[in-house]
mmCIF file of all heavy atoms in Angstrom:
data_model
loop_
_atom_site.group_PDB
_atom_site.id
_atom_site.type_symbol
_atom_site.label_atom_id
_atom_site.label_comp_id
_atom_site.label_asym_id
_atom_site.label_seq_id
_atom_site.Cartn_x
_atom_site.Cartn_y
_atom_site.Cartn_z
ATOM 1 N N LEU A 3 -15.523 -9.270 5.231
ATOM 2 C CA LEU A 3 -14.518 -9.644 6.193
ATOM 3 C C LEU A 3 -14.482 -8.661 7.383
ATOM 4 O O LEU A 3 -14.767 -7.497 7.239
ATOM 5 C CB LEU A 3 -13.112 -9.639 5.526
ATOM 6 C CG LEU A 3 -12.927 -10.501 4.316
ATOM 7 C CD1 LEU A 3 -11.465 -10.465 3.881
ATOM 8 C CD2 LEU A 3 -13.360 -11.942 4.621
ATOM 9 N N PRO A 4 -14.104 -9.165 8.568
ATOM 10 C CA PRO A 4 -13.924 -8.290 9.716
ATOM 11 C C PRO A 4 -12.931 -7.164 9.462
ATOM 12 O O PRO A 4 -11.985 -7.351 8.704
ATOM 13 C CB PRO A 4 -13.434 -9.219 10.819
ATOM 14 C CG PRO A 4 -13.864 -10.617 10.382
ATOM 15 C CD PRO A 4 -13.812 -10.568 8.890
ATOM 16 N N LYS A 5 -13.139 -6.071 10.109
ATOM 17 C CA LYS A 5 -12.283 -4.910 9.894
ATOM 18 C C LYS A 5 -10.818 -5.180 10.237
ATOM 19 O O LYS A 5 -9.897 -4.793 9.516
ATOM 20 C CB LYS A 5 -12.782 -3.715 10.732
ATOM 21 C CG LYS A 5 -12.131 -2.384 10.402
ATOM 22 C CD LYS A 5 -12.825 -1.239 11.148
ATOM 23 C CE LYS A 5 -12.338 0.096 10.676
ATOM 24 N NZ LYS A 5 -13.073 1.242 11.343
ATOM 25 N N ALA A 6 -10.588 -5.976 11.299
ATOM 26 C CA ALA A 6 -9.245 -6.282 11.686
ATOM 27 C C ALA A 6 -8.508 -7.073 10.609
ATOM 28 O O ALA A 6 -7.297 -6.914 10.356
ATOM 29 C CB ALA A 6 -9.206 -7.063 13.023
ATOM 30 N N VAL A 7 -9.240 -8.018 9.982
ATOM 31 C CA VAL A 7 -8.635 -8.810 8.942
ATOM 32 C C VAL A 7 -8.309 -7.933 7.697
ATOM 33 O O VAL A 7 -7.207 -8.011 7.156
ATOM 34 C CB VAL A 7 -9.606 -9.928 8.485
ATOM 35 C CG1 VAL A 7 -9.062 -10.673 7.272
ATOM 36 C CG2 VAL A 7 -9.787 -10.910 9.671
ATOM 37 N N VAL A 8 -9.225 -7.075 7.346
ATOM 38 C CA VAL A 8 -8.995 -6.184 6.219
ATOM 39 C C VAL A 8 -7.807 -5.303 6.455
ATOM 40 O O VAL A 8 -6.923 -5.104 5.548
ATOM 41 C CB VAL A 8 -10.251 -5.354 5.920
ATOM 42 C CG1 VAL A 8 -9.942 -4.270 4.877
ATOM 43 C CG2 VAL A 8 -11.393 -6.240 5.415
ATOM 44 N N MET A 9 -7.710 -4.677 7.616
ATOM 45 C CA MET A 9 -6.612 -3.756 7.924
ATOM 46 C C MET A 9 -5.251 -4.486 7.923
ATOM 47 O O MET A 9 -4.246 -3.946 7.398
ATOM 48 C CB MET A 9 -6.839 -3.063 9.237
ATOM 49 C CG MET A 9 -8.046 -2.139 9.263
ATOM 50 S SD MET A 9 -8.113 -0.973 7.839
ATOM 51 C CE MET A 9 -6.528 -0.102 8.060
ATOM 52 N N SER A 10 -5.215 -5.688 8.433
ATOM 53 C CA SER A 10 -3.948 -6.488 8.368
ATOM 54 C C SER A 10 -3.531 -6.705 6.910
ATOM 55 O O SER A 10 -2.397 -6.565 6.579
ATOM 56 C CB SER A 10 -4.190 -7.782 9.108
ATOM 57 O OG SER A 10 -3.051 -8.646 8.970
ATOM 58 N N GLN A 11 -4.535 -7.056 6.100
ATOM 59 C CA GLN A 11 -4.220 -7.317 4.670
ATOM 60 C C GLN A 11 -3.737 -6.065 3.938
ATOM 61 O O GLN A 11 -2.787 -6.088 3.207
ATOM 62 C CB GLN A 11 -5.484 -7.847 3.994
ATOM 63 C CG GLN A 11 -5.893 -9.205 4.452
ATOM 64 C CD GLN A 11 -7.186 -9.709 3.778
ATOM 65 O OE1 GLN A 11 -7.568 -10.838 3.996
ATOM 66 N NE2 GLN A 11 -7.833 -8.850 3.002
ATOM 67 N N VAL A 12 -4.445 -4.963 4.140
ATOM 68 C CA VAL A 12 -4.131 -3.723 3.390
ATOM 69 C C VAL A 12 -2.822 -3.145 3.841
ATOM 70 O O VAL A 12 -2.042 -2.642 3.021
ATOM 71 C CB VAL A 12 -5.301 -2.719 3.479
ATOM 72 C CG1 VAL A 12 -5.358 -2.025 4.781
ATOM 73 C CG2 VAL A 12 -5.214 -1.722 2.324
ATOM 74 N N VAL A 13 -2.498 -3.213 5.122
ATOM 75 C CA VAL A 13 -1.194 -2.689 5.597
ATOM 76 C C VAL A 13 -0.050 -3.557 5.004
ATOM 77 O O VAL A 13 0.943 -3.010 4.515
ATOM 78 C CB VAL A 13 -1.132 -2.684 7.125
ATOM 79 C CG1 VAL A 13 0.291 -2.438 7.615
ATOM 80 C CG2 VAL A 13 -2.054 -1.622 7.688
ATOM 81 N N ARG A 14 -0.251 -4.824 5.045
ATOM 82 C CA ARG A 14 0.805 -5.757 4.540
ATOM 83 C C ARG A 14 0.983 -5.533 3.017
ATOM 84 O O ARG A 14 2.124 -5.420 2.535
ATOM 85 C CB ARG A 14 0.419 -7.205 4.833
ATOM 86 C CG ARG A 14 1.480 -8.204 4.358
ATOM 87 C CD ARG A 14 1.206 -9.569 4.924
ATOM 88 N NE ARG A 14 -0.124 -10.076 4.544
ATOM 89 C CZ ARG A 14 -1.137 -10.196 5.392
ATOM 90 N NH1 ARG A 14 -0.987 -9.871 6.651
ATOM 91 N NH2 ARG A 14 -2.292 -10.684 4.954
ATOM 92 N N ARG A 15 -0.104 -5.455 2.314
ATOM 93 C CA ARG A 15 -0.032 -5.239 0.869
ATOM 94 C C ARG A 15 0.629 -3.946 0.510
ATOM 95 O O ARG A 15 1.482 -3.843 -0.404
ATOM 96 C CB ARG A 15 -1.472 -5.276 0.278
ATOM 97 C CG ARG A 15 -1.485 -5.189 -1.229
ATOM 98 C CD ARG A 15 -2.917 -5.089 -1.737
ATOM 99 N NE ARG A 15 -3.509 -3.797 -1.415
ATOM 100 C CZ ARG A 15 -4.732 -3.457 -1.721
ATOM 101 N NH1 ARG A 15 -5.552 -4.353 -2.312
ATOM 102 N NH2 ARG A 15 -5.239 -2.272 -1.435
ATOM 103 N N THR A 16 0.306 -2.843 1.233
ATOM 104 C CA THR A 16 0.865 -1.548 0.974
ATOM 105 C C THR A 16 2.367 -1.552 1.232
ATOM 106 O O THR A 16 3.126 -0.997 0.420
ATOM 107 C CB THR A 16 0.157 -0.476 1.847
ATOM 108 O OG1 THR A 16 -1.239 -0.447 1.533
ATOM 109 C CG2 THR A 16 0.740 0.886 1.602
ATOM 110 N N LEU A 17 2.789 -2.135 2.329
ATOM 111 C CA LEU A 17 4.232 -2.199 2.620
ATOM 112 C C LEU A 17 4.991 -2.978 1.571
ATOM 113 O O LEU A 17 6.034 -2.491 1.077
ATOM 114 C CB LEU A 17 4.444 -2.875 3.997
ATOM 115 C CG LEU A 17 4.057 -2.051 5.212
ATOM 116 C CD1 LEU A 17 4.122 -2.910 6.484
ATOM 117 C CD2 LEU A 17 4.900 -0.798 5.352
ATOM 118 N N VAL A 18 4.435 -4.113 1.144
ATOM 119 C CA VAL A 18 5.129 -4.911 0.120
ATOM 120 C C VAL A 18 5.211 -4.133 -1.167
ATOM 121 O O VAL A 18 6.310 -4.115 -1.836
ATOM 122 C CB VAL A 18 4.406 -6.240 -0.043
ATOM 123 C CG1 VAL A 18 4.955 -7.002 -1.300
ATOM 124 C CG2 VAL A 18 4.556 -7.126 1.167
ATOM 125 N N ARG A 19 4.110 -3.559 -1.615
ATOM 126 C CA ARG A 19 4.114 -2.829 -2.852
ATOM 127 C C ARG A 19 5.091 -1.660 -2.835
ATOM 128 O O ARG A 19 5.742 -1.428 -3.828
ATOM 129 C CB ARG A 19 2.697 -2.338 -3.163
ATOM 130 C CG ARG A 19 1.717 -3.354 -3.650
ATOM 131 C CD ARG A 19 0.358 -2.774 -3.917
ATOM 132 N NE ARG A 19 -0.568 -3.716 -4.489
ATOM 133 C CZ ARG A 19 -1.811 -3.432 -4.790
ATOM 134 N NH1 ARG A 19 -2.327 -2.231 -4.443
ATOM 135 N NH2 ARG A 19 -2.592 -4.359 -5.338
ATOM 136 N N ARG A 20 5.149 -0.908 -1.737
ATOM 137 C CA ARG A 20 6.030 0.230 -1.706
ATOM 138 C C ARG A 20 7.454 -0.200 -1.574
ATOM 139 O O ARG A 20 8.322 0.311 -2.287
ATOM 140 C CB ARG A 20 5.641 1.085 -0.459
ATOM 141 C CG ARG A 20 6.523 2.341 -0.299
ATOM 142 C CD ARG A 20 6.515 3.200 -1.527
ATOM 143 N NE ARG A 20 7.551 4.259 -1.462
ATOM 144 C CZ ARG A 20 7.826 5.080 -2.484
ATOM 145 N NH1 ARG A 20 7.123 4.987 -3.617
ATOM 146 N NH2 ARG A 20 8.763 5.988 -2.362
ATOM 147 N N LEU A 21 7.761 -1.100 -0.687
ATOM 148 C CA LEU A 21 9.150 -1.472 -0.501
ATOM 149 C C LEU A 21 9.787 -2.185 -1.692
ATOM 150 O O LEU A 21 10.940 -2.068 -1.992
ATOM 151 C CB LEU A 21 9.304 -2.370 0.726
ATOM 152 C CG LEU A 21 8.932 -1.699 2.072
ATOM 153 C CD1 LEU A 21 8.972 -2.677 3.233
ATOM 154 C CD2 LEU A 21 9.830 -0.495 2.364
ATOM 155 N N ARG A 22 8.940 -2.913 -2.425
ATOM 156 C CA ARG A 22 9.427 -3.622 -3.638
ATOM 157 C C ARG A 22 9.151 -2.830 -4.890
ATOM 158 O O ARG A 22 9.510 -3.295 -6.005
ATOM 159 C CB ARG A 22 8.742 -5.002 -3.711
ATOM 160 C CG ARG A 22 9.096 -5.912 -2.563
ATOM 161 C CD ARG A 22 8.491 -7.308 -2.739
ATOM 162 N NE ARG A 22 8.859 -8.163 -1.633
ATOM 163 C CZ ARG A 22 8.405 -9.421 -1.466
ATOM 164 N NH1 ARG A 22 7.578 -9.932 -2.375
ATOM 165 N NH2 ARG A 22 8.788 -10.129 -0.445
ATOM 166 N N ARG A 23 8.609 -1.625 -4.764
ATOM 167 C CA ARG A 23 8.324 -0.750 -5.898
ATOM 168 C C ARG A 23 7.532 -1.509 -6.994
ATOM 169 O O ARG A 23 7.840 -1.428 -8.176
ATOM 170 C CB ARG A 23 9.593 -0.191 -6.471
ATOM 171 C CG ARG A 23 10.463 0.633 -5.523
ATOM 172 C CD ARG A 23 9.700 1.891 -5.076
ATOM 173 N NE ARG A 23 10.593 2.852 -4.468
ATOM 174 C CZ ARG A 23 10.922 2.838 -3.153
ATOM 175 N NH1 ARG A 23 10.386 1.896 -2.365
ATOM 176 N NH2 ARG A 23 11.690 3.751 -2.661
ATOM 177 N N HIS A 24 6.490 -2.216 -6.576
ATOM 178 C CA HIS A 24 5.651 -2.872 -7.533
ATOM 179 C C HIS A 24 5.007 -1.850 -8.499
ATOM 180 O O HIS A 24 4.467 -0.874 -8.088
ATOM 181 C CB HIS A 24 4.551 -3.622 -6.812
ATOM 182 C CG HIS A 24 5.012 -4.975 -6.230
ATOM 183 N ND1 HIS A 24 4.121 -5.777 -5.548
ATOM 184 C CD2 HIS A 24 6.230 -5.553 -6.235
ATOM 185 C CE1 HIS A 24 4.819 -6.835 -5.144
ATOM 186 N NE2 HIS A 24 6.089 -6.726 -5.522
ATOM 187 N N VAL A 25 5.096 -2.169 -9.773
ATOM 188 C CA VAL A 25 4.455 -1.289 -10.765
ATOM 189 C C VAL A 25 2.998 -1.741 -10.884
ATOM 190 O O VAL A 25 2.689 -2.905 -11.176
ATOM 191 C CB VAL A 25 5.188 -1.425 -12.113
ATOM 192 C CG1 VAL A 25 4.444 -0.586 -13.165
ATOM 193 C CG2 VAL A 25 6.619 -1.017 -11.987
ATOM 194 N N LEU A 26 2.099 -0.788 -10.690
ATOM 195 C CA LEU A 26 0.699 -1.013 -10.705
ATOM 196 C C LEU A 26 0.126 -0.546 -11.988
ATOM 197 O O LEU A 26 0.828 -0.537 -13.047
ATOM 198 C CB LEU A 26 -0.005 -0.372 -9.516
ATOM 199 C CG LEU A 26 0.590 -0.830 -8.133
ATOM 200 C CD1 LEU A 26 0.057 0.030 -6.998
ATOM 201 C CD2 LEU A 26 0.286 -2.302 -7.887
ATOM 202 N N TRP A 27 -1.150 -0.138 -12.049
ATOM 203 C CA TRP A 27 -1.810 0.219 -13.275
ATOM 204 C C TRP A 27 -1.234 1.449 -13.902
ATOM 205 O O TRP A 27 -0.955 2.451 -13.236
ATOM 206 C CB TRP A 27 -3.300 0.452 -12.970
ATOM 207 C CG TRP A 27 -3.830 -0.663 -12.094
ATOM 208 C CD1 TRP A 27 -4.288 -1.892 -12.444
ATOM 209 C CD2 TRP A 27 -3.888 -0.620 -10.659
ATOM 210 N NE1 TRP A 27 -4.620 -2.576 -11.339
ATOM 211 C CE2 TRP A 27 -4.400 -1.851 -10.191
ATOM 212 C CE3 TRP A 27 -3.560 0.410 -9.672
ATOM 213 C CZ2 TRP A 27 -4.614 -2.126 -8.854
ATOM 214 C CZ3 TRP A 27 -3.808 0.111 -8.343
ATOM 215 C CH2 TRP A 27 -4.284 -1.180 -7.956
ATOM 216 N N ASN A 28 -0.966 1.352 -15.259
ATOM 217 C CA ASN A 28 -0.437 2.497 -16.027
ATOM 218 C C ASN A 28 0.831 3.077 -15.379
ATOM 219 O O ASN A 28 0.969 4.311 -15.281
ATOM 220 C CB ASN A 28 -1.523 3.578 -16.193
ATOM 221 C CG ASN A 28 -2.639 3.088 -17.091
ATOM 222 O OD1 ASN A 28 -2.401 2.772 -18.250
ATOM 223 N ND2 ASN A 28 -3.853 2.992 -16.557
ATOM 224 N N SER A 29 1.691 2.190 -14.945
ATOM 225 C CA SER A 29 3.023 2.558 -14.415
ATOM 226 C C SER A 29 3.010 3.263 -13.073
ATOM 227 O O SER A 29 3.980 3.858 -12.672
ATOM 228 C CB SER A 29 3.802 3.391 -15.449
ATOM 229 O OG SER A 29 3.954 2.669 -16.658
ATOM 230 N N ASN A 30 1.893 3.224 -12.358
ATOM 231 C CA ASN A 30 1.818 3.858 -11.048
ATOM 232 C C ASN A 30 2.540 2.963 -9.980
ATOM 233 O O ASN A 30 2.616 1.755 -10.178
ATOM 234 C CB ASN A 30 0.377 4.065 -10.637
ATOM 235 C CG ASN A 30 -0.300 5.142 -11.415
ATOM 236 O OD1 ASN A 30 0.190 6.285 -11.468
ATOM 237 N ND2 ASN A 30 -1.415 4.815 -12.063
ATOM 238 N N VAL A 31 3.000 3.597 -8.932
ATOM 239 C CA VAL A 31 3.577 2.843 -7.807
ATOM 240 C C VAL A 31 2.971 3.446 -6.515
ATOM 241 O O VAL A 31 2.453 4.600 -6.549
ATOM 242 C CB VAL A 31 5.100 2.966 -7.714
ATOM 243 C CG1 VAL A 31 5.759 2.265 -8.909
ATOM 244 C CG2 VAL A 31 5.574 4.427 -7.639
ATOM 245 N N GLU A 32 2.985 2.683 -5.468
ATOM 246 C CA GLU A 32 2.487 3.209 -4.160
ATOM 247 C C GLU A 32 3.315 4.413 -3.756
ATOM 248 O O GLU A 32 4.497 4.472 -3.902
ATOM 249 C CB GLU A 32 2.610 2.137 -3.076
ATOM 250 C CG GLU A 32 1.667 0.963 -3.245
ATOM 251 C CD GLU A 32 0.244 1.292 -2.782
ATOM 252 O OE1 GLU A 32 0.027 2.408 -2.326
ATOM 253 O OE2 GLU A 32 -0.601 0.420 -2.897
ATOM 254 N N PRO A 33 2.640 5.422 -3.190
ATOM 255 C CA PRO A 33 3.335 6.651 -2.748
ATOM 256 C C PRO A 33 4.216 6.358 -1.511
ATOM 257 O O PRO A 33 4.092 5.285 -0.906
ATOM 258 C CB PRO A 33 2.205 7.618 -2.429
ATOM 259 C CG PRO A 33 1.040 6.764 -2.012
ATOM 260 C CD PRO A 33 1.162 5.523 -2.883
ATOM 261 N N PRO A 34 5.122 7.272 -1.129
ATOM 262 C CA PRO A 34 5.937 7.091 0.047
ATOM 263 C C PRO A 34 5.090 6.764 1.270
ATOM 264 O O PRO A 34 3.961 7.285 1.394
ATOM 265 C CB PRO A 34 6.693 8.433 0.176
ATOM 266 C CG PRO A 34 6.701 8.953 -1.215
ATOM 267 C CD PRO A 34 5.439 8.548 -1.808
ATOM 268 N N LEU A 35 5.589 5.945 2.144
ATOM 269 C CA LEU A 35 4.837 5.540 3.328
ATOM 270 C C LEU A 35 4.422 6.672 4.220
ATOM 271 O O LEU A 35 3.423 6.620 4.922
ATOM 272 C CB LEU A 35 5.644 4.487 4.139
ATOM 273 C CG LEU A 35 5.880 3.171 3.406
ATOM 274 C CD1 LEU A 35 6.771 2.265 4.283
ATOM 275 C CD2 LEU A 35 4.572 2.462 3.053
ATOM 276 N N ARG A 36 5.193 7.787 4.223
ATOM 277 C CA ARG A 36 4.873 8.911 5.072
ATOM 278 C C ARG A 36 3.538 9.530 4.647
ATOM 279 O O ARG A 36 2.929 10.216 5.477
ATOM 280 C CB ARG A 36 5.992 9.963 4.977
ATOM 281 C CG ARG A 36 6.171 10.610 3.629
ATOM 282 C CD ARG A 36 7.245 11.709 3.629
ATOM 283 N NE ARG A 36 7.393 12.344 2.311
ATOM 284 C CZ ARG A 36 8.194 11.868 1.337
ATOM 285 N NH1 ARG A 36 8.894 10.737 1.614
ATOM 286 N NH2 ARG A 36 8.286 12.463 0.184
ATOM 287 N N THR A 37 3.100 9.335 3.428
ATOM 288 C CA THR A 37 1.843 9.897 3.022
ATOM 289 C C THR A 37 0.619 9.304 3.739
ATOM 290 O O THR A 37 -0.447 9.837 3.740
ATOM 291 C CB THR A 37 1.628 9.789 1.484
ATOM 292 O OG1 THR A 37 1.627 8.390 1.145
ATOM 293 C CG2 THR A 37 2.761 10.483 0.748
ATOM 294 N N MET A 38 0.894 8.174 4.382
ATOM 295 C CA MET A 38 -0.137 7.555 5.249
ATOM 296 C C MET A 38 -0.581 8.540 6.325
ATOM 297 O O MET A 38 -1.721 8.543 6.782
ATOM 298 C CB MET A 38 0.325 6.277 5.838
ATOM 299 C CG MET A 38 -0.703 5.387 6.444
ATOM 300 S SD MET A 38 -0.019 3.877 7.228
ATOM 301 C CE MET A 38 1.078 3.266 5.972
ATOM 302 N N LEU A 39 0.337 9.395 6.752
ATOM 303 C CA LEU A 39 0.089 10.376 7.828
ATOM 304 C C LEU A 39 -0.459 11.665 7.333
ATOM 305 O O LEU A 39 -1.115 12.423 8.076
ATOM 306 C CB LEU A 39 1.368 10.619 8.605
ATOM 307 C CG LEU A 39 2.039 9.386 9.239
ATOM 308 C CD1 LEU A 39 3.326 9.795 9.910
ATOM 309 C CD2 LEU A 39 1.089 8.716 10.220
ATOM 310 N N THR A 40 -0.268 11.951 6.033
ATOM 311 C CA THR A 40 -0.606 13.269 5.493
ATOM 312 C C THR A 40 -1.809 13.260 4.525
ATOM 313 O O THR A 40 -2.438 14.320 4.287
ATOM 314 C CB THR A 40 0.568 13.908 4.825
ATOM 315 O OG1 THR A 40 0.998 13.056 3.732
ATOM 316 C CG2 THR A 40 1.730 14.116 5.825
ATOM 317 N N ASP A 41 -2.083 12.094 3.967
ATOM 318 C CA ASP A 41 -3.123 12.016 2.942
ATOM 319 C C ASP A 41 -4.324 11.263 3.474
ATOM 320 O O ASP A 41 -4.239 10.062 3.762
ATOM 321 C CB ASP A 41 -2.555 11.305 1.722
ATOM 322 C CG ASP A 41 -3.556 11.217 0.571
ATOM 323 O OD1 ASP A 41 -4.705 11.744 0.698
ATOM 324 O OD2 ASP A 41 -3.234 10.588 -0.486
ATOM 325 N N SER A 42 -5.441 11.977 3.607
ATOM 326 C CA SER A 42 -6.648 11.359 4.171
ATOM 327 C C SER A 42 -7.201 10.232 3.271
ATOM 328 O O SER A 42 -7.983 9.437 3.723
ATOM 329 C CB SER A 42 -7.717 12.397 4.422
ATOM 330 O OG SER A 42 -8.124 12.986 3.225
#
């Protein structure tokens, strides 16, 4: 897929998972959104 499409998808998915506190594998959840700026 084009990079623009992928980035749109991954940003949307990350926001939804974080804001809704979706439980992922082995009880993990997305980290706080601010880590987007601090974690490479």
